[in-house]
Amino acid sequence: MAHLGYSKFEDLIGRADLLKESKEQLERVVKTKGIELAPFFSGVPDSSKDRSFLRTSPETGSVSKDSIVHINKFSSDLDREVSGNDEIKKVIAENAGETVQTYNIKNTDRSTCAMLAGDIARAHGNKGFKGTVNVGFYGSAGQSFGAF
């Protein structure tokens, strides 16, 4: 990434114009001989100048996505519910105390607790959290459950 002159992943997102086909690599593997990748990328719009897709439009107007937390709704409803729990928010804000919460979970609830981990990390860094948040789940979890 740095070799290409970019310091943030955001600068690379959607930049299909930076992808180049390597004939040497295609011919190196028997399975890829004769494959043309150009048609695969032919319909991808050039986003090198227009980066507006990296912005969101909440009620306040168009702003950078990284300046807004939990508005974009990329996380599951459950993740937003856990992160929005008042007792959990209190333990994080006060950096003390304990809360035990339980939720039903289904397999479409992916990356559950990623937002909670982010909330704690933003408030206290890697080692500063002194409270206890115990979250229990009933049901069948989805992809990346427990990854955070």
Side-chain angles (χ1 to χ4, degrees):
M1 192 168 91
H3 178 71
L4 294 172
Y6 298 95
S7 60
K8 299 182 297 186
F9 278 115
E10 182 178 286
D11 296 336
L12 296 173
I13 294 172
R15 293 292 307 277
D17 60 301
L18 297 175
L19 299 174
K20 302 291 183 231
E21 193 173 329
S22 169
K23 296 292 183 192
E24 179 181 297
Q25 291 299 319
L26 280 173
E27 304 206 358
R28 181 176 140 308
V29 179
V30 175
K31 291 180 180 181
T32 58
K33 283 186 180 174
I35 292 181
E36 293 288 328
L37 295 177
F40 178 74
F41 295 107
S42 66
V44 178
D46 181 3
S47 62
S48 60
K49 305 276 187 280
D50 180 11
R51 309 295 288 156
S52 63
F53 68 93
L54 291 171
R55 303 181 76 70
T56 186
S57 298
E59 299 76 28
T60 58
S62 180
V63 295
S64 174
K65 285 185 180 181
D66 64 1
S67 68
I68 295 179
V69 180
H70 309 321
I71 275 186
N72 299 333
K73 300 185 179 176
F74 287 126
S75 295
S76 69
D77 290 338
L78 177 58
D79 210 16
R80 288 190 301 280
E81 182 180 349
V82 170
S83 192
N85 180 290
D86 288 335
E87 289 182 42
I88 291 174
K89 290 194 311 191
K90 180 180 181 213
V91 170
I92 294 170
E94 294 177 358
N95 198 19
E98 180 176 347
T99 184
V100 177
Q101 304 296 317
T102 58
Y103 298 91
N104 291 322
I105 193 168
K106 57 189 180 298
N107 66 353
T108 56
D109 293 319
R110 291 176 167 76
S111 300
T112 299
C113 288
M115 290 173 64
L116 175 59
D119 291 342
I120 294 170
R122 270 186 296 283
H124 306 289
N126 286 338
K127 299 180 181 176
F129 185 54
K130 295 176 177 47
T132 301
V133 176
N134 186 337
V135 185
F137 298 96
Y138 296 99
S140 179
Q143 178 180 329
S144 300
F145 178 75
F148 303 93

